[in-house]
Amino acid sequence: MTRIAYLEDQIARAERLARSILDTLTVGRLQAYADDCRRQLAALREPAD
């Protein structure tokens, strides 16, 4: 599995789990993790200069 595929999978899992639970602290942490994965994914997709 490539790093890009791994990050996409982690984003999907974190968002799916965040929608299924009610604990606001955990939801916030999952959303923060998904945001961090999105930043890493964007950095990987940027063209190298």
Side-chain angles (χ1 to χ4, degrees):
M1 177 180 282
T2 66
R3 181 74 176 158
I4 289 174
Y6 171 77
L7 289 170
E8 289 171 338
D9 183 57
Q10 291 300 299
I11 291 166
R13 287 176 184 224
E15 289 176 340
R16 187 172 49 247
L17 186 56
R19 285 191 304 268
S20 68
I21 59 176
L22 300 175
D23 177 38
T24 57
L25 178 62
T26 304
V27 168
R29 288 180 177 171
L30 286 166
Q31 289 172 340
Y33 177 67
D35 290 341
D36 182 51
C37 288
R38 276 191 202 89
R39 282 190 290 278
Q40 291 180 48
L41 188 57
L44 287 173
R45 288 183 171 164
E46 286 181 3
D49 292 333

